[in-house]
Amino acid sequence: MSESQGSEAFDALVGLLDYPMFVVTTTNGAELAGCLVGFASQTSISPPGFLIGLSKKNRTYRVGCEATHLAVHLVARRHIELARLFGSETGDRVNKFDRAAWHTGPAGLPILDDAGAWFAGEIRRRFDVGDHVGHLLEPVAGQSTRDFGDWVTSADVRDLTPGHEA
């Protein structure tokens, strides 16, 4: 199998997956930023850890470079417009927070009121993973519900035109 065939097979395989999508928000103390993220995963049970990949082309990444924490939001399908806002607009041109209900949470993070669940994580480590930078988070606060229902997945937002290229 040639390298291009391997890449094509990989692209086809990941195209079949239906990952959960998260809205990630942050602040560097002066600016707020947020974006829709599909590159995310729990990394550890004890101590608890979660990995968020932020695109190097994204404003949230640039603000996040000076941040100490990220907030990770799970959005119910009934609030898909929130995911669409954070996935299809760029903070370089639009203040997304003017269009969404939010409040200030732990570490000054913007917490989205319509999120079904969220957690704030302290950034413990950053590392290059290609066109994204991995942010290893240690959860420090959060809110969840037992009666959540369906959350937004990659299949729900495949039609979006991203605010930035990946």
Side-chain angles (χ1 to χ4, degrees):
M1 177 183 299
S2 74
E3 188 172 313
S4 65
Q5 289 174 324
S7 175
E8 290 169 11
F10 175 77
D11 290 346
L13 182 141
V14 296
L16 297 172
L17 302 176
D18 195 15
Y19 294 108
M21 299 298 290
F22 301 91
V23 176
V24 173
T25 61
T26 194
T27 183
N28 60 11
E31 301 174 272
L32 303 178
C35 64
L36 188 65
V37 170
F39 296 160
S41 181
Q42 181 178 355
T43 60
S44 177
I45 296 169
S46 182
F50 201 83
L51 180 70
I52 292 290
L54 294 177
S55 170
K56 294 175 184 176
K57 295 183 179 180
N58 195 300
R59 181 173 181 277
T60 305
Y61 163 72
R62 293 190 306 272
V63 172
C65 284
E66 301 172 359
T68 60
H69 294 74
L70 300 177
V72 180
H73 304 81
L74 201 53
V75 178
R77 280 198 179 107
R78 71 178 190 271
H79 293 294
I80 190 139
E81 289 309 313
L82 184 64
R84 290 185 173 283
L85 169 66
F86 280 86
S88 64
E89 297 289 347
T90 172
D92 292 327
R93 292 189 295 269
V94 171
N95 184 341
K96 300 174 198 180
F97 296 95
D98 283 346
R99 299 181 182 183
W102 63 278
H103 64 277
T104 302
L109 291 167
I111 304 299
L112 302 172
D113 294 346
D114 287 335
W118 63 270
F119 76 90
E122 184 175 356
I123 301 168
R124 301 307 254 165
R125 199 168 142 214
R126 292 178 177 92
F127 46 94
D128 189 284
V129 291
D131 55 9
H132 285 62
V133 171
H135 294 71
L136 184 59
L137 306 179
E138 179 182 325
V140 296
Q143 184 176 6
S144 190
T145 178
R146 291 187 188 274
D147 184 29
F148 187 73
D150 291 333
W151 55 84
V152 175
T153 67
S154 57
D156 297 314
V157 295
R158 281 200 174 112
D159 65 326
L160 287 185
T161 301
H164 282 281
E165 294 177 7

